[in-house]
Amino acid sequence: MEKYSQYRDRGSGIAPFFPIPTKPSGLYLPFHIFLFLFRVPILLTVTLSYFIVLQWLPIGSLGKKASLWLILGTPGIWWIDLQIDGVKRGSVARYHQTRLPQPGTIIASSLTSPIDALYLAAIFDPIFTASYPSTRLVHRISLFQALLRAFAEPQLEPPPNTNLCNLETLIRKHPHRAVVVFPECTTTNGRGILPFSPSLLTSPPRTKIFPISLRYTPGDITTPVPGSYVAFLWNLLSKPTHCIRVRIAEVVYNNGQTAASAPRPTSPSGYNSNFLDTLQDDISSSSETLLGSEEGDGITQAERRVLDKIAEALARLGRVKRVGLGVKEKSDFVRAWSRQRRR
């Protein structure tokens, strides 16, 4: 793997784009083959039934969620380990209104697998969006498009003629739905948090933002490499069960807009200034390499702190570190990986 060393984070050595190897089946190979062949037609039937027929019928939110849970249950995704910051296990119902995403809130989710969007849809029935490193605007997409994006090539910019809008407009038009944002813009293997798109900075200051981390056991159902449909299906359907570890952080607010509009205090000069006066500015600017914005100086320090807080929450929830590799580096990695596979 030395040829891919440039796609490891320099500070931590984490490689967020490498596929996670599958544990050999060994003596259980015949059983895994049986599970795969048995589940494939069932999964295709329930999935096509939902996306072609059921989602267009007036079955209500509960009927749609039940159909999505049937899709999740087919490959054995039954075990959900849910934990919320500041809430003891077994007492989630008591804090349901304040600690869980509700209509009119924003979900800032990690992105590692197509299961991410499927699980979020089955629980919250949200609106999905696509973010890009080069713009603060988002593209509203369907659940099916969100699933396909987990297998898609990373994109630095939105495609031509894409209908873009900001999060504030999207929430105002759909006050009875939550909005999902994938700020990393592309999938990883779950071992690091990529630099963020600035799209979260267009959320209203009083709108709650819930960082949510989704991790899987076994971890080989992640799709960091585009087009890995066959490997994903095999890893998903040949295992008896899968576990999703869901972690929800405390609410974050986009107070960068209000802070940016406030007058900044004048810096001391002459003998009244010293190293400590500029220490906070140095700390704030040190995180610039962990932000995926192409706007550069268009992001204020207050806005950077908002993105940092959400990114640190996702890293803490997932027990991983933030990395400096972004969408551009993943595009280069995919090209190098594809060339190697063709040889």
Side-chain angles (χ1 to χ4, degrees), residues 35-47:
L35 279 180
F36 178 79
L37 296 178
F38 178 75
R39 286 171 168 174
V40 164
I42 300 177
L43 182 65
L44 290 177
T45 300
V46 296
T47 302

Side-chain angles (χ1 to χ4, degrees), residues 116-118 120-121 126-130 139-143 146 180 182:
D116 297 341
L118 201 60
L120 293 173
I127 293 173
F128 291 94
T129 63
H139 174 210
R140 181 183 177 181
I141 58 178
S142 65
L143 171 59
V180 172
F182 299 110

Side-chain angles (χ1 to χ4, degrees), residues 200-222:
L200 287 170
L201 299 176
T202 64
S203 61
R206 295 186 178 181
T207 298
K208 296 179 180 180
I209 303 175
F210 289 88
I212 295 183
S213 171
L214 301 171
R215 292 294 181 265
Y216 302 94
T217 304
D220 55 7
I221 59 173
T222 57

